[in-house]
């Protein structure tokens, strides 16, 4: 309880935002067409929720290890992730459940403010659950 995960800084490039939207089959124009994104009220294209979800998963599983299994991710979006910014992910272990399940509070912040907040429940492998992480 209370263990801090190491920070992860993710540079937000236009290529990353567009490519991950397309890779996740999110063809909404606000994720790949700058002029249409502006026309719809945004300052530029912005990251989609599927990419954010994937980055949160990557962040937690990088800490938990390759044998860990994500059981639940609950996130809420806030400030958009625009090209040219950096999102910094942080996390804290907030709960320990029986059998090596750990709950982690996650937050991703860019220069505008919090982009994503939420919780992730991960099943740690037995050897990790008995170590310092749990």
């Amino acid at each position: 309880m209370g263990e801090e995960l190491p920070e992860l800084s993710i540079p937000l490039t236009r290529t990353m935002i567009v490519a991950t939207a397309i890779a996740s089959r999110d063809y909404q124009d606000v994720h790949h067409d700058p002029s249409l994104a502006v026309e719809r009220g945004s300052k530029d294209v912005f990251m989609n929720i599927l990419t954010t979800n994937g980055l949160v998963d990557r962040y937690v599983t990088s800490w938990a290890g390759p044998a860990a299994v994500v059981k639940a991710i609950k996130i809420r979006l806030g400030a958009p992730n625009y090209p040219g910014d950096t999102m910094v992910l942080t996390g804290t272990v907030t709960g320990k459940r029986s059998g090596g399940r750990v709950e982690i509070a996650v937050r991703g912040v860019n220069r505008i403010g919090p982009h994503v907040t939420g919780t992730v429940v991960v099943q740690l492998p037995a050897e990790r659950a008995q170590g310092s992480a749990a």
Side-chain angles (χ1 to χ4, degrees):
M1 291 284 292
E3 181 177 346
E4 300 287 326
L5 280 64
E7 281 188 2
L8 175 63
S9 293
I10 300 171
L12 305 170
T13 66
R14 181 173 306 279
T15 300
M16 176 204 196
I17 290 170
V18 172
T20 56
I22 291 169
S24 62
R25 297 183 176 178
D26 185 343
Y27 304 116
Q28 286 292 108
D29 51 29
V30 293
H31 302 306
H32 65 82
D33 187 320
S35 60
L36 286 174
V38 169
E39 188 178 303
R40 286 170 175 59
S42 180
K43 78 172 199 172
D44 203 339
V45 295
F46 55 91
M47 184 175 283
N48 71 350
I49 191 169
L50 296 171
T51 300
T52 300
N53 198 66
L55 291 171
V56 167
D57 183 289
R58 168 193 166 201
Y59 175 61
V60 171
T61 56
S62 290
W63 168 81
V69 177
V70 174
K71 295 296 188 177
I73 296 179
K74 296 178 185 175
I75 61 172
R76 174 173 284 196
L77 294 183
N81 267 342
Y82 290 121
D85 206 344
T86 299
M87 178 174 66
V88 178
L89 287 165
T90 57
T92 305
V93 176
T94 57
K96 180 180 174 187
R97 301 178 186 174
S98 63
R101 284 195 182 198
V102 175
E103 183 173 286
I104 301 157
V106 177
R107 182 175 164 99
V109 178
N110 61 39
R111 78 178 110 182
I112 301 170
H115 167 69
V116 62
T117 55
T119 58
V120 178
V121 176
V122 63
Q123 176 75 45
L124 298 175
E127 63 277 2
R128 177 78 196 250
Q130 295 170 358
S132 65

